[in-house]
Structure formats: C-alpha cells, structure tokens
Amino acid sequence: MIHLIIKRQDSPDSKPYTQEFLVPVTKNMNVVTALMEIKKNPVTKDGQMVNPVAWDCNCLEEVCGACTMRINGKARQACSALIADLEQPIRLEPLTKFPVMRDLIVDRSKMFEALKRLKAWVEIDGSFDVGRGPRLPRHKQEEVYPISKCMTCGCCLEVCPNFSKDSDFIGPAPIAQVKLFNTHPIGNMQKADRLEALKDKGGIASCGNAQNCVEACPKQIPLTDALGKLNREVNIFTLSRFFDF
Amino acid sequence: MSQGDFLLRRLHSLTGVIPVGLFLLEHIFTISLAIFGAAYFNAATEFFGNIPVKGFIEIFFIAIPLIFHAGYGLYVALLSKNNVFTYSYFRNWTFFLQRITAYIAFVFIIWHVWALRFGGAGLGSVNTFEQLTQIMSDPCYFIIHIIGYLAVVFHFCNGLWGFLITWGITTGEKSQTISQVLCLSLGVLLAALGIVAVVMFKGGI
C-alpha cells in the first residue's frame, strides 16, 4: 500500500486540512495514478468516506504543466513523479504562491496576466500584411528554442523567494518569454513595448538573483541567462531613450 | 510614474558599489595599513582627516547614498520569502545570506559610526592607532567588530556578483560562475586583511 498525506481545501475561502490515504500499488505508478486510485475509492486511512481529491492534469507527459503541485515539499509535476522514486509517506500539497481553488488545484491566471502585459506573442493582425520576416540563423533558433518549451507550470515562481502574494514581481517564466519574442524577426517589431513593460513595477528589476528558477525548471529553460541578457537590454534601452541614441 | 520602482532598484544596486562600495574599499585599505605599523595608519588617517571639503564628501558621497541603500534595501529584503531549507541550492543560500548580512551590517554600521565617529565609545572621533588599541582591547568591541566586518565584506562581495548581473555585464552561466569565484576570492582577501588589521589594533594575538 502507498501512504499519501494530502493537504485539502474545499473552496478558495475555506480553511485547509489534511487527510491520509492508503492506495494499492499498481505497476509503474506515478502520483497521478495514485490520485486516480483515490478517486476510485475515496476512503481515508481511518475508513471514512470523503469527497475524492480534486487535482488538475492533462497531457500526462510533462509538457502541459497542469498537474504541478508540491510533492514531498518540492514543486514538480505529478505525472513525472514516479511513486518508486518517492519517499513514503508521500505528502501532496497545492502550490503555495497561487490562490487555491480546491484541494490541489490552483489558479495560475497571474502568469497569464503577466504574459499579456509583456505582449508575449508575435503580432501579425494589423491593418496590413506584414509578410514573412527574415529567417533566423540556426544558432539563434537553438538559443531561444528552449524558452518556447515553457509550459507556465509555475515551478520557477513557486521556488522564487522574490515572488509571493506580498510582492508584485511577475516572476522568471513570463520575463523569459520576452527574449523569445524579441528574437523572433516579426515579434521584434514590438521589442520596445516589451522592454518598456519589463521596466514596470514588479518587472525585471524585482529579480534578486537567487537563481532558484533555473534549478527548479522541469524543462531546463536557461531562465537566468534570459534574465541576464534582458537586464542588459533594458539598461541599454533606458539609456538610449534618455540620451536619444 | 510606474517606472519609479525600476529606477529605485537600479539606484539601489548602483549606490551599493558606487559610492558605498568604493568607500568601503578605501576604509579597508586604510585600516589594513595598520598591518605595517602604527605610523603608516596614523599618517593615512591624518591625510583623510584633512582632505578638503571632507564634510561635504562625508554627507553626499557616504552618508546619503548609504542611508538610501540601507533603507530601500531593508524594504526589498523584507519583501522576500526565504526558502533555503526547502530549496537548498548554493545561490539560494547566498541570496539568503545577502539579506542576513544586510541586517547585521545595518545594525553594526549604525553602532560603529555612533561609537567611533560620534564619540559613543567615550573617545570622541577615533582616528589614531593608539585610540583603536584602547577600544579593541575591550573584548565586546573586538568581537562585535569582527562579526560586523565579516558581514559587511560578504554583503559587499556577494553584492558585487549581483551588481554584475543587474547591470548586464555577466549574463551567462559561464561568466556568472567566473565572477562568483572572483567575488568570493575578493571576499576572502578582504576578510583576511581586516581581521589581521583589527588584531594588530588590539596589539597582536
């Protein structure tokens, strides 16, 4: 039997509580399949019938980020957390830096708002056809491709000491997207808007260089590299505006 | 203005090195002259004590930038939620220690300036090797100075590493690793210089 201790919460405003479950072992189990077992038979360790534990999941192959939660204290995806590799009892908790909707489900719309603020897209809808931009050299493609693997799972924000409910820092994941879209030949047309947005309150200057983000990123995105290069660009951009060069 | 925050953060980073960091280096240079003997140290403090517009320099190049760096830094440090025990990465620890040493330095510098510059230790403005010998012979003054000094040196050298990132000088992993080694080496050197100097003031081991 697998022993799970789960931090639960019935609604966004209610108080959290913990419940323990024992689930039968199946072959090649991960945290998602363990949660599915609870759904089949939502009975706690003490034999009490309860509401099944709510959680989010989608792709089941660590590319969507939906099942991100704290597993034994660390933020990671439930689908790629194999039971065989985890120490028991396994503690499951929702992410701490986002509002809890129910049980292990959190509301990460803060990240989406940040992406909107930074114009993290390639703008092609306008009054005329912008056509194709110049092609990117291979080395540039390889430099920014890892950033496109970001699944806005929230791990980097969860581990960042400067990202919290008290601070307005938008966090590393949205900021890194600026590098991706500023490198894109057509995306580059909104470069000034994005750099300007990075200078707003809670932008790049709120980074404290703890560099936990790059350690925690499940997609190995070079977040601190992007932050460093954007620091340079934002500084030059600011000076260029001031001295008009 | 929504970008006031950006400018304040950059100013905070800048003041930590220019002028506060430069003043710290001058200060360490002066006290480390004690290693060569009382005469060298006394000559240096006499030189710095008699430079023109000293009061102006003290207020506008040391006091005001330092007060801004400390005040705004305190606000920034209190916003962070440290998590070194959950995520014990090396740079998370240096991030955490940067804030701990900031708090120590904050209290230490206020006390140090009060005691040695404004006569809190009962000797007026302390300038000579002989006065420092008298002060450092008190174990409390000696130990607090060693702790405060080490905190200041760590805060400056690790802060220098962050400064290089903030200003876009070291952007990649490689340059940040090299600058880390250089900054920590500078820290060890400065720590050794200062400790030897304070021990010399005390009159040897």
Side-chain angles (χ1 to χ4, degrees), chain A residues 47-85:
Chain A
Q48 192 194 349
M49 179 75 107
V50 292
N51 281 325
V53 178
W55 82 98
D56 247 347
C57 73
N58 186 23
C59 74
L60 304 180
E61 53 179 359
E62 207 186 57
V63 293
C64 79
C67 66
T68 307
M69 58 182 73
R70 282 190 304 147
I71 300 169
N72 285 344
K74 295 218 169 25
R76 57 186 295 190
Q77 280 73 51
C79 63
S80 56
L82 302 180
I83 296 293
D85 299 340

Side-chain angles (χ1 to χ4, degrees), chain B residues 3 5 12 20-22 34 36 47 51 65 70 74 94 108 137 145 147-148 154 158 182 201 204:
Chain B
Q3 299 193 338
D5 193 61
H12 174 249
V20 176
L22 290 179
F36 301 102
F47 169 76
I51 52 172
L74 191 66
T94 57
F108 169 69
S137 62
H145 269 93
I147 294 170
F154 179 89
N158 189 55
L182 293 176
F201 287 133

Side-chain angles (χ1 to χ4, degrees), chain B residues 12-184:
Chain B
H12 174 249
S13 173
L14 185 69
T15 50
V17 176
I18 304 164
V20 176
L22 290 179
F23 167 69
L24 176 72
L25 288 176
E26 178 275 311
H27 205 48
I28 295 173
F29 171 74
T30 310
I31 60 163
S32 63
L33 287 174
I35 297 168
F36 301 102
Y40 283 98
F41 177 79
N42 288 342
T45 52
E46 204 184 314
F47 169 76
F48 284 114
N50 291 322
I51 52 172
V53 289
K54 189 182 129 211
F56 179 83
I57 291 173
E58 279 184 323
I59 291 169
F60 290 97
F61 288 87
I62 304 171
I64 291 174
L66 182 60
I67 289 167
F68 167 74
H69 185 81
Y72 191 72
L74 191 66
Y75 160 71
V76 168
L78 289 174
L79 276 183
S80 62
K81 300 266 179 289
N82 286 292
N83 52 11
V84 281
F85 296 111
T86 316
Y87 303 103
S88 315
Y89 312 123
F90 175 73
R91 282 179 184 158
N92 198 21
W93 270 103
T94 57
F95 174 91
F96 175 65
L97 289 174
Q98 185 70 1
R99 276 136 193 85
I100 297 298
T101 54
Y103 300 137
I104 298 173
F106 190 92
V107 178
F108 169 69
I109 291 170
I110 292 171
W111 173 81
H112 173 75
V113 171
W114 168 78
L116 273 71
R117 176 69 178 81
F118 293 108
L123 292 172
S125 178
V126 174
N127 293 314
T128 67
F129 192 99
E130 293 70 27
Q131 286 172 315
L132 280 161
T133 303
Q134 205 179 327
I135 284 169
M136 294 304 166
S137 62
D138 181 335
C140 285
Y141 276 85
F142 178 75
I143 289 167
I144 294 173
H145 269 93
I146 295 284
I147 294 170
Y149 179 77
L150 290 177
V152 168
V153 165
F154 179 89
H155 189 80
F156 170 64
C157 295
N158 189 55
L160 203 55
W161 176 78
F163 174 88
L164 292 173
I165 299 175
T166 302
W167 292 93
I169 297 161
T170 54
T171 60
E173 200 185 319
K174 204 171 162 185
S175 59
Q176 288 174 9
T177 307
I178 294 170
S179 67
Q180 184 122 57
V181 172
L182 293 176
C183 290
L184 288 178

Side-chain angles (χ1 to χ4, degrees), chain A residues 53-152:
Chain A
V53 178
W55 82 98
D56 247 347
C57 73
N58 186 23
C59 74
L60 304 180
E61 53 179 359
E62 207 186 57
V63 293
C64 79
C67 66
T68 307
M69 58 182 73
R70 282 190 304 147
I71 300 169
N72 285 344
K74 295 218 169 25
R76 57 186 295 190
Q77 280 73 51
C79 63
S80 56
L82 302 180
I83 296 293
D85 299 340
L86 295 170
E87 199 179 308
Q88 289 200 40
I90 298 164
R91 286 176 187 275
L92 303 181
E93 294 153 302
L95 295 176
T96 59
K97 305 274 178 88
F98 302 92
V100 175
M101 303 310 288
R102 181 172 177 168
D103 294 342
L104 301 169
I105 302 172
V106 295
D107 176 9
R108 275 171 291 188
S109 50
K110 221 175 160 182
M111 292 179 82
F112 188 57
E113 292 306 316
L115 289 170
K116 285 198 277 187
R117 185 175 133 179
L118 297 171
K119 296 196 177 175
W121 55 74
V122 173
E123 210 160 290
I124 51 167
D125 296 329
S127 52
F128 63 95
D129 181 10
V130 290
R132 289 178 70 91
R135 305 199 92 178
L136 269 185
R138 185 71 174 263
H139 73 274
K140 277 276 166 202
Q141 292 175 19
E142 284 172 0
E143 191 185 322
V144 295
Y145 175 66
I147 305 173
S148 73
K149 291 198 282 185
C150 177
M151 53 191 183
T152 51

Side-chain angles (χ1 to χ4, degrees), chain A residues 4-5 10 13 76 79 84 89 95-96 100 109 125 159 185-186 224 233:
Chain A
L4 295 155
I5 301 174
D10 295 338
D13 310 315
R76 57 186 295 190
C79 63
L95 295 176
T96 59
V100 175
S109 50
D125 296 329
V159 301
I186 294 175
T224 50
E233 283 198 19

Side-chain angles (χ1 to χ4, degrees), chain A residues 217-236:
Chain A
C217 177
K219 308 308 285 183
Q220 286 89 38
I221 298 170
L223 293 162
T224 50
D225 186 86
L227 283 161
K229 297 218 165 64
L230 289 168
N231 264 327
R232 179 185 287 171
E233 283 198 19
V234 165
N235 293 339
I236 294 173

